[in-house]
């Protein structure tokens, strides 16, 4: 056991990434992995989201569409329309995400599970931590596209 491993919270070990060669941290109990060293005081959140990708997204394709050609402006219009439908209780985020999200989490009704600092793209993380449980975000822009986020835990 390395000196670093001796100072990790229970269940955590250091492993080396096969793809990057960098060390990462793995929890043998929860099977969670992350780049940042865990601490006893990590505050995790849970969220669901709906993602709309656009032509400028880092990977402009999804399970719904092999090649996404909509503009960033068109993606924002869709997100704003979806947010209005959710906010007016016409449909819930889970149902809409399962049908319309460009993220593979659509198969889980948009649920991303629990995550801590450093596990999501920074704008997404910041927006999620700023929300109260049950609160729906305004549009959030990341390299993946435009999201609406519902903090669930």
């Amino acid at each position: 056991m390395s000196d670093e491993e001796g100072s990790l919270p229970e269940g955590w070990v250091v492993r080396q990434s096969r793809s990057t060669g960098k060390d990462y941290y793995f929890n043998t109990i929860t099977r969670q992995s992350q780049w940042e060293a865990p601490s006893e005081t990590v505050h995790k959140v849970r969220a669901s989201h709906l993602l709309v990708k656009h032509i400028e997204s880092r990977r402009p394709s999804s399970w719904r569409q092999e090649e996404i050609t909509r503009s960033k402006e068109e993606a924002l219009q869709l997100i704003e329309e979806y947010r209005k439908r959710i906010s007016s209780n016409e449909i819930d985020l889970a149902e809409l995400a399962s049908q319309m999200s460009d993220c593979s989490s659509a198969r889980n009704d948009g649920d991303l599970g629990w995550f801590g600092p450093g596990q999501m793209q920074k704008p997404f993380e910041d927006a999620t931590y700023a929300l109260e449980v049950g609160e729906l975000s305004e549009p959030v822009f990341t390299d993946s596209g435009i999201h609406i986020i519902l903090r669930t835990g």
Side-chain angles (χ1 to χ4, degrees), residues 6-7 42 49 73 75 88 93 105 117 141 146:
S7 65
V42 169
H49 78 131
E73 293 75 23
S88 70
L93 184 131
S105 69
F141 295 79
I146 308 173

Side-chain angles (χ1 to χ4, degrees), residues 78-139:
L78 284 172
I79 279 288
E80 288 173 340
E81 175 189 320
Y82 296 156
R83 190 178 188 288
K84 282 180 193 166
R85 291 180 65 196
I86 295 164
S87 295
S88 70
N89 295 318
E90 175 187 334
I91 192 167
D92 66 23
L93 184 131
E95 184 178 350
L96 195 56
S98 71
Q99 299 166 16
M100 305 307 295
S101 182
D102 287 320
C103 180
S104 61
S105 69
R107 66 177 166 262
N108 298 322
D109 298 333
D111 183 15
L112 296 169
W114 292 93
F115 59 90
Q119 292 185 274
M120 300 291 177
Q121 293 177 55
K122 189 71 171 144
F124 190 98
E125 176 185 309
D126 290 348
T128 305
Y129 275 88
L131 295 170
E132 297 292 325
V133 174
E135 187 178 1
L136 187 67
S137 74
E138 294 295 328

Side-chain angles (χ1 to χ4, degrees), residues 4-19:
E4 186 175 13
E5 283 191 53
S7 65
L8 293 173
E10 182 180 350
W12 287 94
V13 296
V14 177
R15 292 192 174 168
Q16 191 172 61
S17 168
R18 291 186 193 121
S19 61

